[in-house]
């Protein structure tokens, strides 16, 4: 007989998060709880969608790591890893020592029973395979697995919808693919929130033509560019954004940046991991902003999960600072046509002995023709492409907040102190929409009964006010979901308990 403590013993343990929840006068919404699929049952759904062969393909894809961060590392020697610069993939990513939590995120009935023990009234779920499936490279297998995953999770959590709802996995290799699955997930399965990949890796055409994938797989593995939909994409994604708005579905993303540029250590997972979700979200948010997506679709809402809020505050401040220096009018401060060549030559003649060193004085044309700095600083540019903020429709600094703040929500984990940056309106000139995303179910959370208490410590140490905390765990999550779909919380544990939630000033 096992000496492990029974679940009843765990139940009797005082939960620090439940103690916090009892003090609050508002619900708590967790926007990111990870669940683990029971693979044998999921494979039955995959077989229903694509037959037995698709199950074998799925298993092979799992073994490879879906190709977006491959597991080939494990089959390579250290010399091969160095030669190929193979990124060390994630490992030991689940709370295995805490067996109760491991079972909790694997069993819907147990999760439903324990969610309040974590101080949570309602949770949006991110099944693990759902986060990976949209990145499968094989288009046929991708569609089969995505459809199976969505049916599986819709069926599995339907009886627990008062406190739990899973996201729908939506592939976006093309807008048409995304629209088809979004409509099916919402209209046929009744799913209310969607998970899109933060990007699609696409082959660089010049390399793909010269080094075909079937002959040069290593070149194909590395010769890609990152399509973030909003800017310079191969496809027009406006029909997809329009469909999301029409269906009143919020979009979220949970994609990894590991394997990008500097995040390619062959030996250190933490080196690759730290900041990688923020990297991927940073790229997507910039693309949607600069590509004018948030201007054309002001009602579009995108939740960027697990990267914290510090990068969001930094991005917003960068947008303001860069626009002030390089907007369509200010850019003329750097136009080489504005150089007073006579004055430049005169100043060199008067003060230039240290650099001229007896050489003949060059005239102004020569100075800006290559003698000063890089040639790119003085080359003529397309007059229609001088304003990088044009597509975003930024005419005044207030437009930046209008195109950024309402559209983006930023998932902050329970122990993330940088969430305070998002609420620092005095520094930023705006209050960003950080919302609570505990990441329970992964190694970030050794004990799900402590997540809310972890976050409340920010109030206790003065980093957040009580109002900040309320906005983080309730107001912002509520506005994100119910602001788009007023019926999102209909039939949930606190349906009817809230007449209206006002956005914090």
């Amino acid at each position: 007989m096992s000496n492990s403590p029974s679940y009843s013993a765990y139940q009797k343990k005082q939960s620090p998060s439940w103690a916090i929840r009892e003090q609050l006068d508002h619900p708590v919404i967790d926007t990111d709880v990870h669940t683990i699929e029971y693979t044998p049952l999921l494979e039955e759904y995959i077989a229903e969608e694509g037959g037995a062969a698709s199950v074998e393909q799925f298993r092979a894809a799992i073994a490879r790591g879906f190709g977006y961060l491959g597991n080939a590392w494990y089959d390579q020697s250290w010399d091969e890893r160095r030669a190929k610069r193979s990124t060390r993939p994630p490992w030991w990513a689940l709370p295995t020592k805490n067996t109760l939590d491991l079972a909790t995120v694997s069993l819907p009935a147990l999760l439903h029973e324990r969610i309040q023990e974590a101080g949570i009234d309602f949770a949006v779920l991110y099944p693990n395979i759902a986060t990976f499936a949209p990145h499968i490279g094989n288009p046929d297998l991708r569609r089969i697995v995505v459809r199976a995953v969505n049916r599986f999770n819709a069926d599995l959590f339907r009886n627990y919808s008062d406190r739990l709802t899973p996201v729908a996995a939506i592939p976006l290799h093309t807008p048409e693919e995304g629209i088809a699955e979004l409509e099916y997930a919402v209209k046929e399965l009744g799913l209310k929130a969607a998970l899109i990949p933060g990007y699609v890796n696409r082959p660089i055409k010049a390399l793909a033509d010269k080094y075909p994938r079937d002959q040069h797989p290593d070149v194909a593995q590395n010769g890609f560019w990152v399509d973030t939909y909003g800017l310079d994409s191969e496809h027009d994604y406006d029909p997809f954004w329009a469909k999301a708005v029409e269906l009143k579905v919020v979009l979220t993303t949970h994609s990894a940046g590991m394997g990008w540029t500097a995040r390619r250590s062959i030996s250190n997972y933490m080196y690759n991991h730290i900041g990688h979700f923020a990297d991927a979200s940073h790229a997507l948010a910039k693309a949607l902003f600069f590509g004018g997506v948030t201007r054309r679709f002001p009602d579009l809402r995108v939740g960027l999960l697990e990267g914290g809020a510090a990068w969001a505050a930094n991005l917003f401040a960068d947008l303001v600072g860069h626009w002030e220096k390089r907007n369509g009018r200010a850019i003329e401060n750097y136009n080489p046509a504005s150089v007073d060549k006579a004055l430049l030559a005169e100043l060199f003649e008067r003060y230039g002995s240290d650099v001229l060193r007896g050489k003949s004085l060059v005239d102004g044309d020569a100075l800006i023709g290559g003698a000063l700095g890089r040639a790119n600083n003085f080359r003529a540019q397309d007059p229609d492409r001088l304003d990088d903020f044009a597509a975003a429709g930024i005419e005044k600094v207030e437009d930046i907040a209008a195109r950024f703040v309402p559209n983006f929500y930023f998932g902050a984990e329970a122990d993330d102190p940088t969430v305070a940056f998002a609420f620092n309106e005095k520094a930023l000139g705006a209050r960003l929409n950080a919302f609570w995303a505990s990441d329970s179910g992964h190694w970030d959370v050794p004990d799900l009964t402590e997540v809310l208490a972890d976050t409340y410590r920010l109030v206790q140490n003065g980093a957040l006010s009580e109002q900040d905390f309320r906005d983080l765990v309730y107001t912002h999550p509520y506005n994100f979901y119910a602001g788009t779909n007023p019926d999102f919380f209909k039939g949930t544990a606190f349906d009817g308990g809230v007449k209206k939630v006002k956005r914090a000033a």
Side-chain angles (χ1 to χ4, degrees):
M1 180 179 292
S2 171
N3 291 323
S4 299
S6 66
Y7 177 50
S8 60
Y10 279 104
Q11 280 183 302
K12 294 174 183 176
K13 183 180 74 170
Q14 175 64 38
S15 162
S17 291
W18 178 245
I20 296 298
R21 174 63 187 90
E22 285 189 306
Q23 301 172 22
L24 304 177
D25 63 356
H26 56 81
V28 171
I29 301 169
D30 191 342
T31 66
D32 184 21
V33 171
H34 287 276
T35 58
I36 304 171
E37 295 87 348
Y38 182 63
T39 305
L41 180 58
L42 173 60
E43 288 181 350
E44 292 181 14
Y45 281 76
I46 293 174
E48 290 173 5
E49 292 293 334
S54 64
V55 174
E56 295 304 317
Q57 291 177 316
F58 169 72
R59 291 172 178 171
I62 289 282
R64 290 194 305 270
F66 287 139
Y68 102 105
L69 189 63
N71 289 329
W73 185 92
Y74 286 100
D75 299 320
Q76 297 170 347
S77 68
W78 278 105
D79 286 341
E80 289 175 313
R81 291 165 185 164
R82 291 187 185 96
K84 295 177 180 289
R85 302 313 301 176
S86 299
T87 304
R88 186 170 192 182
W91 53 278
W92 290 6
L94 300 177
T96 51
K97 186 175 182 179
N98 189 335
T99 305
L100 175 60
D101 278 7
L102 180 63
T104 298
V105 296
S106 304
L107 301 169
L110 182 55
L111 178 60
H112 182 264
E113 183 173 314
R114 294 194 67 218
I115 197 70
Q116 286 184 287
E117 191 180 343
I120 298 165
D121 294 270
F122 189 86
V124 181
L125 310 178
Y126 285 78
N128 279 351
I129 300 300
T131 65
F132 299 135
H135 288 278
I136 296 175
N138 181 310
D140 293 330
L141 180 63
R142 181 173 63 246
R143 285 189 282 268
I144 288 169
V145 174
V146 164
R147 180 62 56 90
V149 163
N150 288 339
R151 287 181 49 234
F152 171 85
N153 287 307
D155 288 348
L156 207 61
F157 290 99
R158 187 169 289 113
N159 292 335
Y160 308 102
S161 61
D162 62 325
R163 295 197 182 276
L164 309 171
T165 192
V167 295
I170 306 298
L172 271 186
H173 280 65
T174 68
E176 293 79 15
E177 183 181 28
I179 289 170
E181 191 59 33
L182 190 64
E183 287 193 314
Y184 177 81
V186 174
K187 295 180 178 179
E188 301 298 324
L189 299 180
L191 296 174
K192 301 185 288 187
L195 168 69
I196 63 172
Y199 56 87
V200 172
N201 286 339
R202 302 196 192 276
I204 297 174
K205 187 175 186 304
L207 286 177
D209 290 346
K210 189 174 182 179
Y211 303 102
R213 173 180 286 273
D214 57 344
Q215 300 174 33
H216 304 275
D218 288 340
V219 174
Q221 180 74 18
N222 294 282
F224 65 86
W225 63 280
V226 178
D227 185 349
T228 45
Y229 317 120
L231 191 69
D232 304 329
S233 178
E234 284 188 351
H235 300 276
D236 176 10
Y237 280 89
D238 274 9
F240 177 77
W241 313 129
K243 180 58 66 174
V245 172
E246 175 194 328
L247 294 176
K248 300 180 180 179
V249 178
V250 291
L251 305 176
T252 60
T253 181
H254 202 292
S255 292
M258 282 185 288
W260 289 10
T261 56
R263 303 185 188 282
R264 300 194 65 169
S265 168
I266 64 173
S267 64
N268 195 304
Y269 168 39
M270 288 295 91
Y271 176 88
N272 297 329
H273 183 275
I274 292 174
H276 80 106
F277 281 118
D279 246 12
S281 290
H282 191 274
L284 176 61
K286 280 192 302 184
L288 299 182
F289 176 85
F290 279 111
V293 174
T294 58
R295 175 182 62 81
R296 295 190 297 277
F297 300 96
D299 294 329
L300 183 70
R301 298 291 178 266
V302 180
L304 304 145
L305 293 174
E306 210 167 317
W311 72 266
N314 182 261
L315 175 55
F316 181 77
D318 277 345
L319 290 173
V320 172
H322 283 65
W323 180 84
E324 288 175 340
K325 303 300 188 297
R326 296 187 68 90
N327 62 65
R329 296 179 296 276
I331 198 68
E332 291 301 324
N333 291 325
Y334 320 109
N335 189 336
S338 301
V339 174
D340 185 331
K341 297 174 186 176
L343 176 60
L344 187 63
E346 178 188 339
L347 293 172
F348 260 77
E349 183 174 8
R350 183 181 303 176
Y351 297 101
S353 59
D354 291 340
V355 297
L356 293 174
R357 296 189 178 184
K359 294 183 176 66
S360 299
L361 176 66
V362 291
D363 61 19
D365 285 320
L367 284 169
I368 67 172
L372 289 182
R374 294 181 299 170
N376 283 354
N377 289 327
F378 300 104
R379 285 179 176 169
Q381 300 292 325
D382 182 345
D384 293 328
R385 293 186 175 273
L386 293 178
D387 185 358
D388 283 338
F389 293 82
I394 309 302
E395 297 292 336
K396 54 187 182 299
V397 71
E398 291 81 8
D399 293 337
I400 297 175
R403 307 280 191 272
F404 186 91
V405 175
N407 301 89
F408 298 120
Y409 285 69
F410 309 98
E413 295 182 26
D415 59 352
D416 180 6
T418 70
V419 67
F421 299 165
F423 296 137
N424 193 338
E425 190 169 0
K426 290 181 179 178
L428 293 178
R431 186 177 176 85
L432 302 185
N433 292 313
F435 62 9
W436 198 56
S438 75
D439 201 37
S440 296
H442 281 175
W443 60 260
D444 310 63
V445 180
D447 186 340
L448 65 82
T449 68
E450 296 184 359
V451 287
L452 192 65
D454 278 346
T455 304
Y456 196 73
R457 275 191 275 274
L458 295 176
V459 178
Q460 294 168 329
N461 67 23
L464 295 181
S465 68
E466 291 282 359
Q467 182 62 52
D468 293 336
F469 182 80
R470 177 189 175 100
D471 288 347
L472 179 67
V473 304
Y474 177 49
T475 311
H476 290 173
Y478 187 93
N479 284 336
F480 180 62
Y481 294 108
T484 297
N485 175 9
D487 292 330
F488 188 92
F489 292 104
K490 186 176 182 179
T492 67
F494 58 87
D495 179 25
V498 179
K499 299 301 182 186
K500 184 178 181 181
V501 177
K502 184 178 180 181
R503 180 181 296 277

